[in-house]
Amino acid sequence: KMKLQKRYFTLLLFATICVLSYRILQLRWRNSNKPNIALKSYISQDELQQLVLAQYQPTTVPGFERDNTKCRMETCFNFDRCQEFKVYIYPDTENVPASNNYLNILQSIKDSGYYTENAEEACLFVLSLDTLDRDSLSQDYIRNMQYKVDKLEHWNNGENHLVFNLYSGTFPNYTEDLGFDIGRAMLAKASIATENYRPKFDISLPLFHKQHPDRGGDPGYVKDAVFPAVQQYFLAFKGKRYVYGIGSETRNSLYHLHNKKDLALVTTCKHGKNWQDMQDERCGEDNDEYERWDYNNLLTNSTFCLVPRGRRLGSFRFLETLQAGCVPVILSNGWQLPFGEVIDWPAATITIDERLLLQVPEILRTIPQPQILKLRQQTQVIWDMYLSSVRKIVMTTLEVIKQRINPHVAASSADWNNRPGVFYYDKSPRNMDSTCAVINMALPNNNIFQQDSTFSSNSNVFKLIQVIGNLPFTSEIIIIWRSKASPPPLQDWQRFGNIRRKKTKISILIGNSTDDKIKMIAENCKSDNVLLLNNDVVLNNEELIFMHQVFKEFPERIVGFTPRLHHWDGEAKSWRYTSKASFKLSMIGTEAVMFAAKYSRIFYSVLPRKTLHYMNQFLHCQDILLNMLISSITRAAPIKVGQRSRLSKAETANFTKEDLATKFQEKQSCINRFVEDLGEMPLVASQLRLDPVLYKDSVSAMRKKYKKMENFGDNNLS
């Protein structure tokens, strides 16, 4: 029996070996019949180019054409047109009246440095047709828009076009349909939903009133940094509610939170023509309670303000709460917040899911007081920098597009969300000991040196060069020569100026009486800071060193000696300019000043073109505009140093009384024109004057660092 089992086992083992051998031989035979293909260890140049091109080919998913919902900058924008960022506005050939808001948008573009009248050099195109209100029931709705845009010369299915819109859709659904196909155009739209927003292509706008300022804008309401930042009301809302239709759910439930004490949330049904026909059983009580509360009082005296969705995702309340410094609590699921691509909204707002409405007070009470203070302060920063006027909203829109086109020079999130903001963004680091000294050869009547006049080595300009050329912080000296006569040779400037520091470079710019000194500084100064002096000022080295020390402490402000002041004339209802000696100042004359060199570049990139054109007609008003620009950026007053108010021996000696009266009157006109163009009065009055320690104290002169300043005063000018 045992022998029989061994035989069976041997036969089974033999059969298994035979089957395995057969399978191995079969696999080897199949592989031997395959062609021997050698794989390359590299990719050819043609194959690589095909892969790169395929990466940027737009998707062709059915229902999503390459020029619509799947658009991105890489697929629907022609970068070849944008060697320089210029914006073209189509001429108004349809003679269709536009709304005031849209006219303000177009004017803001025309006033900017980006505007061009030549379509061939344009990077971006904007319609002259008003597209802000695409509600077919609105009186501003323009019909046959598709026909009108299709016949535009450069439309090209919307490529490189920007379409502005505030309202879309109509009752009862308020969809985001504009009533025409925008194709590959970028859409700058208010109340846009995240599901319809094309990231890095479209731009979400804030919804603003028809009365929103076209330029300048009112400042925020917060004037202090009181801690803790708790107001009379913890949470507030006053507005319409809808008893039916889209947007009614959240607002209809607000009465559950209203306790008539620290939670003030009131609504009314009184809106629309047929509100009485549609009212519910609670409308009467709600309307009575609504009338007991003042809207502005709630805004300015509440810690948090509710911003629920209305018929559309966005509402006017968003901007109103930001300006008031009441922290917005957003209840609008799916809303793409305005300029959310660049603005850090979590630092200024609270966003809560609409479904958690009844838990909102509990959620807000968990926020610590330091964070509430930061949120409140950031509302003012964002409002002031980007949202307080139509011009700022438009310029922010253009800046976002510009930085998409040139991402290598784009500002960081920190630059966007901190003062002074991206419009005054300067990427280069600053060296406070690198100063460009500019001597403006300016004397009365724009006739500095006649052809037959003598220019001696004792001239005051050489004394100035001798002083500033040997200061440790001077890296270059630029002389703006405005005479018809040829300037002395460069070696004479160096010899008579007695410059001992070899690192100080001297250069001469040949100009005339109409050349703009700020523009010449912007184009020629390589240093980070500017020391601007008139050729006839009398200063010693201690005064300049002390001014530089003060400037290092206040590097964003303008620092100088000669104070000027503005004030409001109630009778004439206009702004007035004065150079009379006073304990107050709001401007510094440019006879001897220090400021950051970046302001000379910002001067021409930010200020409206019409303002610059007006200023070029009255160049003696340039110091007013420069002070306005710096104050609008810093929101602070300039800094006066020293007691002296006169720096020149011949400040007014060569002017007739008629000339002085004319120039003074022109400055009155200038300051009012600048305020009108900017939309605000940015100048800030101050009583601050900085003197050296122990200045004119009755102590030994040996203990004083700037002892020469006490004995070198206005008596040196006589």
Side-chain angles (χ1 to χ4, degrees), residues 231 233-238 264-265 295-308 315 317-318 320-331 348-352 360 364 379:
Q231 303 294 311
Y233 305 106
F234 182 72
L235 178 64
F237 174 84
K238 182 180 180 181
L265 300 104
Y295 181 65
N296 290 327
N297 182 57
L298 286 176
L299 274 182
T300 54
N301 292 284
S302 299
T303 304
F304 295 98
C305 287
L306 212 61
V307 185
S315 69
R317 194 175 314 277
F318 183 65
E320 293 168 351
T321 56
L322 286 172
Q323 182 183 14
C326 184
V327 180
V329 180
I330 302 170
L331 295 176
T349 64
I350 303 294
T351 301
I352 300 177
V360 167
L364 297 179
T379 61

Side-chain angles (χ1 to χ4, degrees), residues 89-94 96 98 102 106 126-130:
I89 298 176
Y90 283 98
D92 183 11
T93 58
E94 298 289 339
V96 179
Y102 198 68
L106 299 182
V126 174
L127 307 179
S128 60
L129 297 166
D130 187 351

Side-chain angles (χ1 to χ4, degrees), residues 407-586:
H408 58 288
V409 294
S412 65
S413 177
D415 294 313
W416 273 97
N417 293 280
N418 292 281
R419 291 190 187 276
V422 74
F423 299 136
Y424 314 113
Y425 164 69
D426 191 68
K427 195 172 185 178
S428 58
R430 286 189 55 191
N431 179 3
M432 297 307 299
D433 291 321
S434 171
T435 301
C436 171
V438 179
I439 299 179
N440 181 38
M441 304 292 289
L443 284 178
N445 300 323
N446 300 321
N447 200 10
I448 300 173
F449 299 115
Q450 299 297 333
Q451 192 71 34
D452 57 350
S453 65
T454 58
F455 189 50
S456 70
S457 59
N458 292 325
S459 297
N460 187 69
V461 65
F462 289 129
K463 296 177 183 178
L464 271 181
I465 294 175
Q466 184 174 353
V467 172
I468 64 178
N470 295 295
L471 294 174
F473 54 82
T474 304
S475 56
E476 57 181 323
I477 299 175
I478 294 178
I479 299 160
I480 302 178
W481 183 267
R482 299 181 185 274
S483 174
K484 296 178 181 179
S486 300
L490 192 59
Q491 58 268 25
D492 285 354
W493 293 95
Q494 295 171 333
R495 178 163 56 91
F496 294 144
N498 193 24
I499 297 178
R500 295 185 294 272
R501 295 177 71 245
K502 295 182 179 180
K503 293 183 179 180
T504 305
K505 176 186 175 184
I506 295 183
S507 57
I508 302 173
L509 300 179
I510 306 297
N512 54 50
S513 61
T514 60
D515 284 339
D516 183 351
K517 60 188 176 185
I518 300 297
K519 189 171 186 178
M520 298 176 81
I521 290 172
E523 294 174 349
N524 295 279
C525 270
K526 307 301 181 186
S527 304
D528 297 330
N529 311 297
V530 175
L531 170 62
L532 177 59
L533 303 168
N534 279 357
N535 67 292
D536 57 348
V537 298
V538 179
L539 293 165
N540 63 32
N541 63 331
E542 283 192 359
E543 289 177 305
L544 292 173
I545 291 173
F546 179 67
M547 180 168 67
H548 180 257
Q549 288 295 326
V550 172
F551 179 67
K552 290 174 70 174
E553 296 296 325
F554 301 93
E556 301 302 321
R557 302 205 211 176
I558 184 169
V559 178
F561 289 91
T562 53
R564 304 288 185 263
L565 181 65
H566 79 287
H567 66 275
W568 176 254
D569 187 338
E571 294 183 2
K573 299 187 183 305
S574 63
W575 294 100
R576 306 291 291 174
Y577 166 92
T578 180
S579 58
K580 291 182 179 179
S582 172
F583 63 92
K584 295 177 68 175
L585 75 149
S586 58

Side-chain angles (χ1 to χ4, degrees), residues 11-74:
L11 289 173
L12 181 62
L13 180 62
F14 178 75
T16 303
I17 293 173
C18 290
V19 171
L20 290 174
S21 300
Y22 174 77
R23 293 295 299 168
I24 291 172
L25 291 174
Q26 188 181 36
L27 289 173
R28 287 183 177 179
W29 179 81
R30 288 178 179 176
N31 290 335
S32 63
N33 290 334
K34 289 184 178 180
N36 187 15
I37 302 175
L39 297 177
K40 295 186 294 183
S41 60
Y42 61 90
I43 186 170
S44 67
Q45 185 174 359
D46 293 338
E47 292 170 330
L48 179 61
Q49 185 175 6
Q50 291 177 0
L51 286 176
V52 172
L53 291 175
Q55 181 181 0
Y56 293 102
Q57 287 297 320
T59 55
T60 56
V61 179
F64 295 97
E65 298 297 332
R66 67 188 312 186
D67 53 358
N68 202 344
T69 59
K70 291 297 182 180
C71 269
R72 299 294 182 267
M73 294 294 288
E74 296 83 4

